[in-house]
């Protein structure tokens, strides 16, 4: 009986060890996604990734401010549609980037920081609107709003594309570089749409 128990116990230990090895291997496979241990997460990003997230969060927040002004002010259905798409794309990206910064032990810009950037503009961040531009946009209505919104958003998008291009070239963190690629693609497409709309409104 003792020998049977010993064999059973050994078999259970071997099975448990095998399961543990499998679990560890599965966890290790996620290293590229940044979901593994803190050490791996810290090693998988660089200063450019941090700079990208810390800069793009307030940049995106200002785009959301602008997009939300379209409701009740814009005359064009195309402008309202564009504003809705900006909000739908950029709000989740803000949450994702905030999560990365927390994971890396870095400061995430708060809403107050973003409002301060909007009020004063941000010299180090291409495409950010100054307080006067935002105030004028808020006061505009109808076709005047549409024209100003499109012109400002083209400039804003062009700034985001520049920031994202730097991340694609110099960043290390895979998900951040992937998001930067998505921003370049999506916002360049929207810049084309907005320039066409501006051409129609000016004609």
């Amino acid at each position: 009986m003792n020998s049977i128990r010993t064999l059973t116990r050994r078999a259970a230990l071997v099975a448990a060890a095998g399961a543990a090895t499998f679990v560890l291997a599965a966890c290790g496979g996620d290293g590229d996604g940044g979901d593994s241990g803190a050490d791996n997460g810290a090693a998988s990003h660089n200063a450019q990734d941090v700079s990208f997230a810390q800069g793009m969060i307030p940049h995106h927040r200002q785009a959301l401010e602008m997009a939300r002004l379209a409701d009740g002010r814009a005359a064009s259905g195309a402008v309202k549609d564009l504003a809705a798409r900006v909000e739908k794309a950029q709000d989740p990206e803000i949450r994702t980037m905030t999560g990365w910064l927390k994971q890396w032990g870095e400061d995430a810009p708060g809403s107050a920081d973003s409002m301060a950037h909007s009020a004063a503009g941000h010299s180090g961040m291409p495409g950010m609107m100054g307080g006067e531009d935002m105030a004028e946009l808020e006061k505009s209505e109808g076709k005047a709003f549409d024209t100003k919104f499109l012109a400002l958003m083209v400039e804003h998008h062009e700034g985001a594309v520049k920031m994202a291009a730097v991340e694609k070239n110099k960043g290390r963190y895979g998900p951040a570089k992937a998001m930067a690629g998505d921003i370049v693609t999506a916002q360049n497409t929207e810049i084309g749409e907005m320039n066409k709309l501006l051409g129609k409104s000016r004609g």
Side-chain angles (χ1 to χ4, degrees):
M1 279 296 280
N2 285 342
S3 61
I4 293 172
R5 280 183 188 161
T6 303
L7 286 171
T8 305
R9 196 173 295 154
R10 277 184 188 161
L13 286 169
V14 168
T21 304
F22 175 78
V23 169
L24 286 170
C27 287
D30 283 340
D32 289 342
D35 292 327
S36 52
D39 290 343
N40 287 346
S44 67
H45 75 280
N46 62 14
Q48 167 55 38
D49 297 318
V50 175
S51 176
F52 169 71
Q54 287 179 334
M56 196 61 82
I57 287 170
H59 204 277
H60 270 19
R61 280 195 180 128
Q62 189 179 66
L64 292 183
E65 275 186 82
M66 294 165 70
R68 286 165 184 154
L69 290 177
D71 187 28
R73 290 179 177 84
S76 164
V79 168
K80 289 177 184 175
D81 176 64
L82 179 80
R85 278 185 283 141
V86 166
E87 198 166 343
K88 187 177 179 182
Q90 297 194 23
D91 200 29
E93 287 177 349
I94 289 170
R95 289 197 295 273
T96 298
M97 289 185 284
T98 301
W100 293 340
L101 290 168
K102 287 179 181 173
Q103 178 184 321
W104 299 335
E106 301 286 350
D107 291 332
S111 298
D113 297 327
S114 301
M115 296 307 105
H117 290 326
S118 291
H122 197 274
S123 57
M125 220 179 288
M128 284 290 277
M129 300 297 107
E132 285 183 19
D133 285 324
M134 292 299 290
E136 282 180 31
L137 186 64
E138 196 168 351
K139 290 173 188 171
S140 303
E141 286 185 12
K143 289 183 179 178
F145 174 88
D146 293 348
T147 302
K148 187 156 190 67
F149 174 85
L150 291 168
L152 291 176
M153 193 62 87
V154 164
E155 189 180 337
H156 202 270
H157 271 26
E158 286 172 347
V161 168
K162 284 178 187 173
M163 292 164 66
V166 173
E167 171 62 18
K168 280 180 69 180
N169 292 332
K170 298 182 179 178
R172 184 190 298 163
Y173 188 57
K177 287 166 74 76
M179 180 185 285
D182 291 342
I183 288 171
V184 169
T185 301
Q187 298 207 16
N188 271 332
T189 300
E190 289 175 354
I191 287 167
E193 288 178 35
M194 291 188 286
N195 280 330
K196 280 184 184 176
L197 289 168
L198 280 167
K200 288 176 188 174
S201 66
R202 283 169 183 165

